[in-house]
Amino acid sequence: MNPNGVSPVSVWWVFVALGVAWTAVWGWVLLHAGPGPSYEATAPRVRRLRRLLFGVFLVAFGVVFAVSLRAYPYFQFRSRSIGAPVVTVQVWGAQWTWDLSQRILPKGVPVEFVVQSQDVNHGFAIYSPDGTLLTQVQAMPGYANHLIYRFSEPGSYVVRCLEYCGVSHHVMLDTLTVH
Amino acid sequence: MDPEAPTLNATNGSVLQAAIVYLVAGLGTVVVMGLLGLLMRLDHAGILVISADWFYRIMTLHGAGMVSGLLFAGFGGLAAVVSVDVRVSSRGLWIGLLVFLTGMMLVVFAIVFGAFAAGWTVLDPLPYQGKTWTVAAGVTVYIGYLFTGLAIVVVCATLLRATTAQGFGRALAWDVLFHPGRSHEAEVRPPVLIATVVAIVGLLLVVAGLAYLVPLLLEAAGAVKHVDTLLAKNTVFLFGHTMANLCIYVAAGLVYGTLPRFARRPWHTTWPVALAWNSIIFVIFFPWSHHLYQDFVQPLGLQILSNLGSFAGAFPSFVVTIVGALALVYGADLDWSPSAILMLLGVWGWVLGGLGAILDAVVPINQVMHNTMWVPAHFHTYNMVGVAAFVWAYLYHLAGELSDAPARRASRWAAWLYGIGAAGTSVVFFLEGAHSIPRRYAVHEADWQGYARVAIPFVVLMVIALAWLGAEILARIGRAYRRTRLAPS
């Protein structure tokens, strides 16, 4: 798993695969909703199916959880997976602007964003030049959240607010230049 | 109990009257909120221009109205279902409805006349710092929410009093749970067990609501200087997430109560059913912190607990209820009425929405999906395709049964149309989330507008389907209501 984060489109394809599989099972049952074997006859098979599903879910969730730990976005995880930060950017959110201590950043090195808010909750989200959400953290009044990210490509990255913060929430934008 | 036993009996006429009013008022609210949702999607598509101020007011009303409308419609339906087995106080239901409507009126008043637009999740400190509305508007909404909480207490206490009249352990099927080998001739039916569980959860979640609302009301009164933002975020999501989640479990009670009629088979309170529903009392309270994954100061243990808690919800829901529903209809001579179709569509939507939710509950996935359209995607799927379908199905069934009007064959098409419309609307939301489009944006950039344009025909399909089914329900509901008055009570 990419230590910088997962790709949203890959999540979509996992969702599509599982959704199609579920729809097939559901459709198959509906096709067999006409007169057939009695409930009593199928009950033992349902009991076995439940036991099987319980085990499968337990293993699947355990594996997903264990694998996901490697890509946790929290400071202590990312400082291990992509390295200790070499650049620190102070970020303040306020209705409805971003105040950043620097907007020009180097590529290929871990950058730490210290994200805070002057008023209400905001969401500090960095979008790639092609419009994909790369990483995010909340800006909360009274707290400082520390986010590490490594930019692998040069370009113009858009900062958006992703926590609803009032009627101009959607225009709370800024830009980071990576080179 | 015979799965085809009539809903109306010698003792529950007054309860069914209250239930009908809950269902009609709740689903009427859902229809109005749905039309507001269509307006928002027209705005996203660039077809209609709504000012940002009004967009966010509409968004706030849409969220608050949908969750409470579905919850109270579901409560009404569940009261009707369990009234076949236990004595529910119709007075308690009427008082609950009155308190609920008072709360809703306060919220609507603050939005329409006070320009309140902080979102239904009222994330502190935004309700007091909105810049375009006053602190008084925020306080009015909080007081409205207090009334809603009080209404939940009244309804849940009414249900709990009814279901536990013969003992708390019996209502929770503890005999089945702790003595699985014994014969359980006098077992409680699943809807009674479910009503007991959701009533307990409802009473507990109001405690979380009070933990959020009381300090903030004291802050507005000057009695408390400052409420910690992280604490407030935890309590509001513990309340709000659990309340939204409760909707599906209340609606599931309608499935347990009605699907056996269509399958012409009983759905027993077996050991897995008893275990699953007892576990929900605990499991439902774990996932709230997944709303705080991107608050890195939240203790790591709570994030992990929430991740595992979100996974845990799949066991009682899927392994027991969904598998149970599918097993019930497999090989049954199913009566393919519009209600049965809607319920089976609801089963599909519940799982698909849950799938989106479980993916979003994985921390690194949430990193790139949180507060994108993926979030409304998953909750619209299990609310619109799941909860709403279950509740519409139940009202359609109840109106038909009480008015002695058989379901029209042609109306099956309306049920399928609803499914296609709701599924299409939901899938487009998921696509938008996968393409990182933010949620809660009054204005969608030109590159994003194509998605909403694809979604709108699906929303229109839903409107047509609901107009069709709604017209049939309205044609029958008066007669159904009068019939309940004829029954001795």
Side-chain angles (χ1 to χ4, degrees), chain B residues 36-118:
Chain B
L36 293 180
L38 175 59
L39 285 183
M40 287 192 285
R41 291 306 268 163
L42 287 167
D43 174 271
H44 284 164
I47 295 169
L48 184 74
V49 178
I50 304 174
S51 70
D53 168 39
W54 269 103
F55 180 92
Y56 291 121
R57 287 203 231 179
I58 289 171
M59 181 192 81
T60 303
L61 188 58
H62 174 83
M66 276 294 187
V67 172
S68 48
L70 284 174
L71 184 62
F72 277 81
F75 272 144
L78 192 55
V81 169
V82 299
S83 71
V84 176
D85 306 70
V86 297
R87 290 261 189 152
V88 181
S89 160
S90 58
R91 183 184 298 173
L93 294 177
W94 288 117
I95 293 170
L97 186 64
L98 197 65
V99 177
F100 167 68
L101 290 175
T102 306
M104 277 305 288
M105 285 302 111
L106 285 169
V107 173
V108 171
F109 183 81
I111 292 170
V112 175
F113 299 106
F116 183 82

Coordinates of all heavy atoms in Angstrom, one line a residue, chain B residues 36-118:
Chain B
L36 N -36.4 18.7 -2.2 CA -35.3 19.7 -1.9 C -33.9 19.1 -2.4 O -33.1 19.8 -2.9 CB -35.2 20.0 -0.4 CG -36.4 20.8 0.2 CD1 -36.2 21.1 1.7 CD2 -36.6 22.1 -0.6
G37 N -33.8 17.8 -2.2 CA -32.6 17.1 -2.7 C -32.5 17.3 -4.2 O -31.4 17.5 -4.7
L38 N -33.6 17.1 -4.9 CA -33.6 17.3 -6.4 C -33.1 18.7 -6.7 O -32.3 18.9 -7.7 CB -35.0 17.0 -6.9 CG -35.2 17.2 -8.4 CD1 -34.2 16.4 -9.3 CD2 -36.6 16.9 -8.8
L39 N -33.6 19.7 -6.0 CA -33.2 21.1 -6.2 C -31.7 21.2 -6.1 O -31.0 21.8 -6.9 CB -33.8 22.0 -5.2 CG -35.3 22.4 -5.4 CD1 -35.8 23.4 -4.4 CD2 -35.6 22.9 -6.8
M40 N -31.1 20.6 -5.1 CA -29.7 20.6 -4.9 C -28.9 20.0 -6.0 O -27.9 20.5 -6.4 CB -29.3 20.0 -3.5 CG -29.7 20.9 -2.3 SD -29.0 20.4 -0.8 CE -29.9 18.9 -0.4
R41 N -29.5 18.9 -6.5 CA -28.8 18.2 -7.6 C -28.9 19.0 -8.9 O -27.9 19.0 -9.7 CB -29.3 16.8 -7.8 CG -29.0 15.8 -6.7 CD -27.6 15.7 -6.4 NE -26.9 14.6 -7.1 CZ -25.6 14.6 -7.3 NH1 -24.8 15.5 -6.9 NH2 -25.0 13.5 -8.0
L42 N -30.0 19.7 -9.1 CA -30.1 20.6 -10.2 C -29.1 21.7 -10.2 O -28.5 22.1 -11.2 CB -31.6 21.2 -10.3 CG -32.6 20.2 -10.8 CD1 -34.0 20.7 -10.5 CD2 -32.5 19.8 -12.3
D43 N -28.9 22.2 -9.0 CA -27.8 23.2 -8.7 C -26.4 22.6 -9.0 O -25.6 23.2 -9.7 CB -27.9 23.7 -7.3 CG -26.8 24.6 -6.9 OD1 -25.7 24.1 -6.5 OD2 -27.0 25.8 -7.1
H44 N -26.2 21.4 -8.6 CA -24.9 20.8 -8.9 C -24.7 20.6 -10.4 O -23.6 20.6 -10.9 CB -24.8 19.4 -8.2 CG -24.5 19.5 -6.7 ND1 -24.8 18.4 -5.8 CD2 -24.1 20.5 -5.9 CE1 -24.4 18.8 -4.6 NE2 -24.0 20.0 -4.6
A45 N -25.8 20.3 -11.1 CA -25.7 20.1 -12.5 C -25.5 21.4 -13.3 O -25.3 21.4 -14.5 CB -26.9 19.3 -13.0
G46 N -25.7 22.5 -12.6 CA -25.6 23.8 -13.3 C -26.8 24.2 -14.0 O -26.8 25.1 -14.8
I47 N -27.9 23.4 -13.8 CA -29.2 23.7 -14.5 C -30.0 24.8 -13.8 O -30.6 25.6 -14.4 CB -30.0 22.4 -14.6 CG1 -29.2 21.4 -15.5 CG2 -31.4 22.6 -15.1 CD1 -29.8 20.0 -15.4
L48 N -29.8 24.8 -12.4 CA -30.6 25.7 -11.6 C -29.5 26.4 -10.7 O -28.6 25.7 -10.2 CB -31.6 25.0 -10.7 CG -32.5 25.7 -9.8 CD1 -33.6 26.4 -10.7 CD2 -33.1 24.8 -8.8
V49 N -29.6 27.7 -10.6 CA -28.7 28.4 -9.7 C -29.4 28.8 -8.4 O -30.3 29.6 -8.4 CB -28.1 29.7 -10.5 CG1 -27.2 30.4 -9.5 CG2 -27.4 29.3 -11.7
I50 N -28.9 28.2 -7.3 CA -29.4 28.6 -6.0 C -28.3 29.4 -5.3 O -27.1 29.0 -5.4 CB -29.8 27.3 -5.2 CG1 -30.7 26.4 -6.0 CG2 -30.3 27.7 -3.9 CD1 -31.0 25.1 -5.3
S51 N -28.6 30.4 -4.6 CA -27.6 31.2 -3.9 C -27.0 30.3 -2.9 O -27.6 29.4 -2.3 CB -28.2 32.4 -3.3 OG -29.1 32.0 -2.2
A52 N -25.7 30.5 -2.5 CA -25.0 29.7 -1.5 C -25.8 29.7 -0.2 O -25.9 28.7 0.4 CB -23.6 30.2 -1.4
D53 N -26.3 30.9 0.2 CA -27.0 31.0 1.4 C -28.2 30.0 1.5 O -28.3 29.2 2.4 CB -27.4 32.4 1.6 CG -28.4 32.6 2.7 OD1 -28.3 32.0 3.8 OD2 -29.4 33.4 2.6
W54 N -29.0 30.0 0.4 CA -30.1 29.2 0.4 C -29.8 27.7 0.1 O -30.4 26.8 0.7 CB -31.2 29.6 -0.7 CG -32.1 30.6 0.0 CD1 -32.1 31.9 -0.2 CD2 -33.2 30.3 0.9 NE1 -33.2 32.5 0.6 CE2 -33.8 31.5 1.3 CE3 -33.7 29.1 1.4 CZ2 -34.9 31.5 2.2 CZ3 -34.7 29.1 2.3 CH2 -35.3 30.3 2.7
F55 N -28.7 27.5 -0.6 CA -28.3 26.1 -0.8 C -28.0 25.4 0.5 O -28.5 24.3 0.8 CB -27.1 26.0 -1.8 CG -26.6 24.6 -2.0 CD1 -27.0 23.9 -3.1 CD2 -25.7 24.0 -1.1 CE1 -26.6 22.5 -3.3 CE2 -25.3 22.7 -1.3 CZ -25.8 22.0 -2.4
Y56 N -27.2 26.1 1.3 CA -26.8 25.5 2.6 C -28.0 25.4 3.6 O -28.0 24.6 4.5 CB -25.6 26.2 3.2 CG -24.3 26.0 2.4 CD1 -23.6 27.1 1.8 CD2 -23.8 24.7 2.1 CE1 -22.5 26.9 1.0 CE2 -22.7 24.5 1.3 CZ -22.0 25.6 0.8 OH -20.9 25.4 0.0
R57 N -28.9 26.4 3.5 CA -30.1 26.3 4.3 C -30.9 25.0 3.9 O -31.4 24.3 4.7 CB -31.0 27.5 4.1 CG -30.4 28.7 4.8 CD -31.6 29.7 5.0 NE -31.3 31.0 4.5 CZ -32.2 32.0 4.6 NH1 -33.4 31.8 5.1 NH2 -31.9 33.2 4.2
I58 N -31.1 24.9 2.6 CA -31.8 23.7 2.1 C -31.1 22.4 2.5 O -31.7 21.4 2.9 CB -31.9 23.8 0.5 CG1 -32.9 24.9 0.2 CG2 -32.4 22.5 -0.1 CD1 -32.9 25.2 -1.3
M59 N -29.7 22.4 2.4 CA -29.0 21.2 2.8 C -29.2 20.9 4.2 O -29.3 19.7 4.6 CB -27.5 21.5 2.5 CG -26.5 20.4 2.8 SD -24.8 21.0 2.8 CE -24.7 21.8 4.4
T60 N -29.2 21.9 5.1 CA -29.4 21.7 6.5 C -30.8 21.1 6.8 O -31.0 20.1 7.5 CB -29.3 23.0 7.3 OG1 -28.0 23.6 7.0 CG2 -29.4 22.9 8.8
L61 N -31.8 21.7 6.1 CA -33.2 21.2 6.3 C -33.3 19.8 5.8 O -34.0 18.9 6.4 CB -34.1 22.2 5.6 CG -35.6 21.9 5.8 CD1 -36.0 22.0 7.3 CD2 -36.4 23.0 5.0
H62 N -32.7 19.5 4.6 CA -32.8 18.2 4.0 C -32.3 17.1 4.9 O -32.9 16.1 5.1 CB -32.0 18.3 2.7 CG -31.8 16.9 2.0 ND1 -32.8 16.4 1.1 CD2 -30.8 16.0 2.0 CE1 -32.4 15.3 0.6 NE2 -31.2 15.0 1.1
G63 N -31.1 17.4 5.5 CA -30.5 16.4 6.4 C -31.3 16.1 7.6 O -31.6 15.0 8.0
A64 N -31.7 17.2 8.3 CA -32.4 17.1 9.6 C -33.8 16.5 9.3 O -34.2 15.6 10.0 CB -32.6 18.5 10.2
G65 N -34.4 16.9 8.2 CA -35.8 16.4 7.9 C -35.8 14.9 7.5 O -36.6 14.1 7.9
M66 N -34.8 14.5 6.7 CA -34.7 13.2 6.2 C -34.5 12.2 7.4 O -35.2 11.2 7.5 CB -33.6 13.0 5.2 CG -33.9 13.3 3.8 SD -35.2 12.2 3.2 CE -35.3 12.7 1.5
V67 N -33.5 12.5 8.2 CA -33.2 11.6 9.3 C -34.3 11.5 10.3 O -34.8 10.3 10.7 CB -31.9 12.0 10.1 CG1 -31.7 11.2 11.3 CG2 -30.7 11.9 9.2
S68 N -34.9 12.6 10.7 CA -36.0 12.5 11.7 C -37.3 12.0 11.0 O -38.0 11.2 11.7 CB -36.2 13.9 12.3 OG -36.3 14.9 11.4
G69 N -37.5 12.3 9.7 CA -38.7 11.8 9.1 C -38.7 10.3 8.9 O -39.7 9.6 9.2
L70 N -37.5 9.8 8.5 CA -37.4 8.3 8.4 C -37.5 7.6 9.8 O -38.1 6.6 9.9 CB -36.1 8.0 7.7 CG -36.0 8.2 6.2 CD1 -34.6 7.9 5.7 CD2 -37.0 7.3 5.5
L71 N -36.8 8.2 10.8 CA -36.8 7.6 12.1 C -38.2 7.5 12.7 O -38.7 6.5 13.1 CB -35.9 8.4 13.0 CG -35.7 7.8 14.4 CD1 -35.1 6.4 14.4 CD2 -34.9 8.7 15.3
F72 N -39.0 8.7 12.6 CA -40.3 8.6 13.2 C -41.3 7.8 12.3 O -42.2 7.2 12.9 CB -40.8 10.1 13.5 CG -40.2 10.5 14.8 CD1 -38.9 11.0 14.9 CD2 -40.9 10.4 16.0 CE1 -38.4 11.4 16.1 CE2 -40.4 10.7 17.2 CZ -39.1 11.2 17.2
A73 N -41.2 7.9 11.0 CA -42.0 7.0 10.2 C -41.7 5.5 10.6 O -42.7 4.7 10.8 CB -41.8 7.2 8.7
G74 N -40.5 5.2 10.8 CA -40.1 3.8 11.2 C -40.6 3.5 12.5 O -41.2 2.4 12.7
F75 N -40.5 4.4 13.5 CA -41.1 4.2 14.8 C -42.6 3.9 14.7 O -43.1 3.0 15.4 CB -40.9 5.4 15.7 CG -39.5 5.4 16.4 CD1 -38.9 6.6 16.7 CD2 -39.0 4.3 16.9 CE1 -37.7 6.7 17.3 CE2 -37.8 4.3 17.6 CZ -37.1 5.5 17.8
G76 N -43.3 4.6 13.9 CA -44.7 4.4 13.8 C -45.0 3.0 13.2 O -45.9 2.3 13.8
G77 N -44.3 2.7 12.2 CA -44.5 1.3 11.6 C -44.2 0.2 12.6 O -44.9 -0.7 12.7
L78 N -43.1 0.4 13.4 CA -42.7 -0.6 14.3 C -43.7 -0.7 15.4 O -44.1 -1.8 15.9 CB -41.3 -0.3 14.9 CG -40.6 -1.3 15.7 CD1 -40.5 -2.6 14.9 CD2 -39.2 -0.9 16.2
A79 N -44.3 0.4 15.9 CA -45.3 0.4 16.9 C -46.5 -0.4 16.4 O -47.1 -1.2 17.1 CB -45.8 1.8 17.3
A80 N -46.9 -0.2 15.1 CA -48.0 -1.0 14.5 C -47.7 -2.5 14.5 O -48.5 -3.3 14.8 CB -48.3 -0.5 13.1
V81 N -46.5 -2.8 14.1 CA -46.1 -4.2 14.0 C -46.2 -4.9 15.3 O -46.7 -6.0 15.5 CB -44.7 -4.4 13.3 CG1 -44.2 -5.8 13.5 CG2 -44.7 -3.9 11.9
V82 N -45.6 -4.3 16.4 CA -45.5 -4.9 17.7 C -46.9 -4.9 18.4 O -47.1 -5.7 19.3 CB -44.4 -4.4 18.6 CG1 -43.1 -4.6 18.0 CG2 -44.6 -2.9 19.0
S83 N -47.8 -4.0 17.9 CA -49.1 -3.9 18.6 C -49.9 -5.1 18.4 O -50.9 -5.3 19.1 CB -49.8 -2.6 18.1 OG -50.3 -2.8 16.8
V84 N -49.5 -6.0 17.5 CA -50.2 -7.2 17.3 C -49.9 -8.1 18.5 O -50.8 -9.0 18.9 CB -49.7 -7.9 16.0 CG1 -50.4 -9.3 15.8 CG2 -50.1 -7.0 14.8
D85 N -48.7 -8.0 19.1 CA -48.3 -8.9 20.2 C -48.4 -8.3 21.6 O -48.6 -9.0 22.5 CB -46.8 -9.3 20.0 CG -46.6 -9.9 18.6 OD1 -46.6 -9.2 17.6 OD2 -46.3 -11.1 18.6
V86 N -48.2 -7.0 21.6 CA -48.1 -6.3 23.0 C -49.0 -5.0 23.0 O -49.3 -4.5 21.9 CB -46.6 -5.9 23.3 CG1 -45.8 -7.2 23.5 CG2 -46.0 -5.0 22.3
R87 N -49.3 -4.6 24.2 CA -50.2 -3.4 24.3 C -49.3 -2.1 24.3 O -48.6 -1.8 25.3 CB -50.9 -3.5 25.6 CG -52.0 -4.5 25.7 CD -53.3 -3.9 25.4 NE -54.4 -4.9 25.6 CZ -55.6 -4.5 26.0 NH1 -55.9 -3.2 26.2 NH2 -56.5 -5.4 26.1
V88 N -49.4 -1.4 23.2 CA -48.6 -0.1 23.1 C -49.6 1.0 23.5 O -50.7 1.0 23.1 CB -48.1 0.0 21.7 CG1 -47.3 1.3 21.5 CG2 -47.2 -1.1 21.2
S89 N -49.0 2.0 24.2 CA -49.9 3.1 24.6 C -50.0 4.1 23.4 O -49.0 4.7 23.0 CB -49.3 3.8 25.8 OG -49.8 5.1 25.9
S90 N -51.2 4.2 22.9 CA -51.4 5.2 21.8 C -51.1 6.6 22.3 O -50.6 7.5 21.6 CB -52.7 5.1 21.2 OG -53.7 5.2 22.1
R91 N -51.5 6.8 23.6 CA -51.3 8.2 24.2 C -49.8 8.5 24.1 O -49.4 9.7 23.8 CB -51.8 8.2 25.6 CG -51.7 9.6 26.3 CD -52.1 9.6 27.7 NE -53.5 9.2 27.9 CZ -54.0 9.0 29.1 NH1 -53.3 9.1 30.2 NH2 -55.3 8.7 29.2
G92 N -48.9 7.6 24.5 CA -47.5 7.8 24.4 C -47.0 8.2 23.0 O -46.2 9.1 22.8
L93 N -47.6 7.5 22.0 CA -47.2 7.8 20.7 C -47.7 9.2 20.3 O -46.9 9.9 19.6 CB -47.8 6.8 19.7 CG -47.3 5.3 19.8 CD1 -48.1 4.4 18.9 CD2 -45.8 5.3 19.6
W94 N -48.9 9.6 20.6 CA -49.4 10.9 20.3 C -48.5 12.0 20.9 O -48.2 13.0 20.3 CB -50.8 11.1 20.7 CG -51.8 10.3 19.8 CD1 -52.6 9.3 20.2 CD2 -52.0 10.5 18.4 NE1 -53.3 8.8 19.1 CE2 -53.0 9.5 18.0 CE3 -51.5 11.3 17.4 CZ2 -53.4 9.4 16.7 CZ3 -51.9 11.2 16.1 CH2 -52.9 10.2 15.7
I95 N -48.2 11.8 22.2 CA -47.4 12.8 22.9 C -46.0 12.9 22.2 O -45.5 14.0 22.0 CB -47.2 12.4 24.4 CG1 -48.6 12.6 25.1 CG2 -46.2 13.3 25.1 CD1 -48.6 12.0 26.6
G96 N -45.4 11.8 21.9 CA -44.1 11.7 21.2 C -44.2 12.5 19.9 O -43.3 13.3 19.6
L97 N -45.3 12.3 19.2 CA -45.4 13.0 17.9 C -45.5 14.5 18.1 O -44.9 15.3 17.3 CB -46.6 12.5 17.1 CG -46.8 13.0 15.7 CD1 -45.7 12.5 14.8 CD2 -48.1 12.5 15.1
L98 N -46.3 14.9 19.1 CA -46.5 16.3 19.4 C -45.1 17.0 19.7 O -44.8 18.1 19.2 CB -47.5 16.5 20.5 CG -48.1 17.9 20.7 CD1 -49.0 18.2 19.5 CD2 -48.9 17.9 22.0
V99 N -44.4 16.3 20.6 CA -43.1 16.9 21.0 C -42.1 16.9 19.8 O -41.4 17.9 19.6 CB -42.5 16.0 22.1 CG1 -41.1 16.5 22.5 CG2 -43.4 16.0 23.3
F100 N -42.1 15.9 19.0 CA -41.3 15.8 17.8 C -41.6 16.9 16.8 O -40.7 17.6 16.3 CB -41.5 14.4 17.1 CG -40.9 14.4 15.7 CD1 -39.5 14.5 15.5 CD2 -41.7 14.3 14.6 CE1 -39.0 14.4 14.3 CE2 -41.2 14.2 13.4 CZ -39.8 14.3 13.2
L101 N -42.9 17.2 16.6 CA -43.3 18.2 15.6 C -42.9 19.6 16.2 O -42.5 20.5 15.4 CB -44.8 18.1 15.4 CG -45.3 16.9 14.5 CD1 -46.8 16.9 14.4 CD2 -44.6 16.9 13.1
T102 N -43.0 19.8 17.5 CA -42.6 21.0 18.1 C -41.1 21.3 17.8 O -40.7 22.4 17.4 CB -42.8 21.0 19.6 OG1 -44.2 20.7 19.9 CG2 -42.5 22.3 20.3
G103 N -40.3 20.2 18.0 CA -38.9 20.4 17.7 C -38.6 20.7 16.3 O -37.8 21.5 15.9
M104 N -39.3 20.0 15.4 CA -39.1 20.2 13.9 C -39.5 21.6 13.5 O -38.8 22.2 12.7 CB -39.9 19.2 13.1 CG -39.3 17.8 13.0 SD -37.6 17.9 12.3 CE -38.0 18.3 10.6
M105 N -40.6 22.1 14.1 CA -41.0 23.5 13.8 C -39.9 24.5 14.2 O -39.7 25.4 13.5 CB -42.3 23.8 14.5 CG -43.6 23.1 13.9 SD -43.8 23.6 12.2 CE -43.5 22.0 11.4
L106 N -39.3 24.3 15.4 CA -38.3 25.2 15.8 C -37.1 25.2 14.8 O -36.5 26.2 14.5 CB -37.8 24.8 17.2 CG -38.7 25.1 18.4 CD1 -38.3 24.5 19.7 CD2 -38.8 26.6 18.6
V107 N -36.7 24.0 14.4 CA -35.6 23.8 13.4 C -36.0 24.5 12.1 O -35.2 25.3 11.5 CB -35.2 22.4 13.2 CG1 -34.2 22.2 12.1 CG2 -34.7 21.7 14.5
V108 N -37.2 24.3 11.6 CA -37.6 24.9 10.3 C -37.6 26.4 10.5 O -37.2 27.1 9.6 CB -39.0 24.3 9.9 CG1 -39.6 25.1 8.7 CG2 -38.9 22.9 9.6
F109 N -38.1 26.9 11.6 CA -38.2 28.3 11.9 C -36.8 29.0 11.8 O -36.6 30.0 11.2 CB -38.9 28.5 13.2 CG -39.1 30.0 13.6 CD1 -40.2 30.7 13.1 CD2 -38.2 30.7 14.4 CE1 -40.4 32.0 13.4 CE2 -38.4 32.0 14.7 CZ -39.5 32.7 14.2
A110 N -35.9 28.3 12.5 CA -34.5 28.9 12.5 C -33.9 28.9 11.1 O -33.1 29.8 10.8 CB -33.7 28.1 13.5
I111 N -34.2 27.9 10.3 CA -33.6 27.8 9.0 C -34.3 28.8 8.0 O -33.6 29.6 7.3 CB -33.7 26.4 8.4 CG1 -32.8 25.4 9.2 CG2 -33.4 26.4 6.9 CD1 -33.1 24.0 8.9
V112 N -35.6 28.9 8.0 CA -36.3 29.7 7.1 C -36.2 31.2 7.5 O -35.9 32.1 6.7 CB -37.8 29.3 7.0 CG1 -38.6 30.2 6.1 CG2 -37.9 27.9 6.4
F113 N -36.5 31.5 8.8 CA -36.5 32.9 9.2 C -35.2 33.4 9.8 O -34.9 34.6 9.9 CB -37.7 33.1 10.2 CG -39.0 32.8 9.5 CD1 -39.7 31.7 9.9 CD2 -39.5 33.7 8.5 CE1 -40.9 31.4 9.3 CE2 -40.7 33.4 7.9 CZ -41.4 32.2 8.3
G114 N -34.4 32.4 10.3 CA -33.1 32.8 11.0 C -31.9 32.6 10.1 O -30.8 32.8 10.6
A115 N -32.1 32.1 8.9 CA -31.0 31.9 7.9 C -30.0 30.8 8.4 O -28.8 30.8 8.0 CB -30.3 33.2 7.6
F116 N -30.4 30.0 9.4 CA -29.5 29.0 10.0 C -29.1 28.0 8.9 O -29.9 27.5 8.2 CB -30.1 28.3 11.1 CG -29.2 27.3 11.8 CD1 -28.3 27.7 12.7 CD2 -29.3 25.9 11.5 CE1 -27.5 26.8 13.4 CE2 -28.4 25.0 12.1 CZ -27.5 25.4 13.0
A117 N -27.8 27.8 8.7 CA -27.3 26.9 7.7 C -26.0 26.2 8.1 O -25.1 26.1 7.3 CB -27.0 27.7 6.4
A118 N -26.0 25.6 9.3 CA -24.8 25.0 9.8 C -24.7 23.5 9.5 O -23.8 22.8 9.9 CB -24.7 25.2 11.3

